[in-house]
Amino acid sequence: MQRRLAGHQTVSGAGELTEREREVADLAACGRTNKEIAAQLYPSPRTVEDHLSRILRKLGLTSRAGIAHRPVELDAAPAR
């Protein structure tokens, strides 16, 4: 399901998150830092930052704090 936001930006939602993006989103929603996420999942902190950028774009959010407000949507959508 896609929806349009102001400025004609298309947002696809949590259903478009990869399995790894979903893992990163879950940890970010719990308040973990990029460095803590990297230590737990084994990518570099820069890779975590890239994942978070894609997550924010896909969910139409502007900050990682918004990820914590979308847990129902994250849980309901199947990983890709």
Side-chain angles (χ1 to χ4, degrees), residues 5-64:
L5 298 177
H8 305 289
Q9 177 184 6
T10 301
V11 178
S12 37
E16 299 296 318
L17 297 181
T18 65
E19 183 176 338
R20 184 56 120 193
E21 289 169 345
R22 187 176 306 282
E23 291 173 324
V24 170
D26 288 341
L27 292 171
C30 290
R32 301 275 195 321
T33 66
N34 290 2
K35 193 172 185 177
E36 291 169 334
I37 294 169
Q40 185 167 343
L41 299 179
Y42 304 108
S44 72
R46 175 68 179 133
T47 301
V48 171
E49 188 176 319
D50 290 342
H51 281 305
L52 286 169
S53 293
R54 284 191 297 277
I55 291 164
L56 293 173
R57 186 182 70 248
K58 288 178 179 183
L59 296 179
L61 301 171
T62 56
S63 72
R64 66 189 292 150

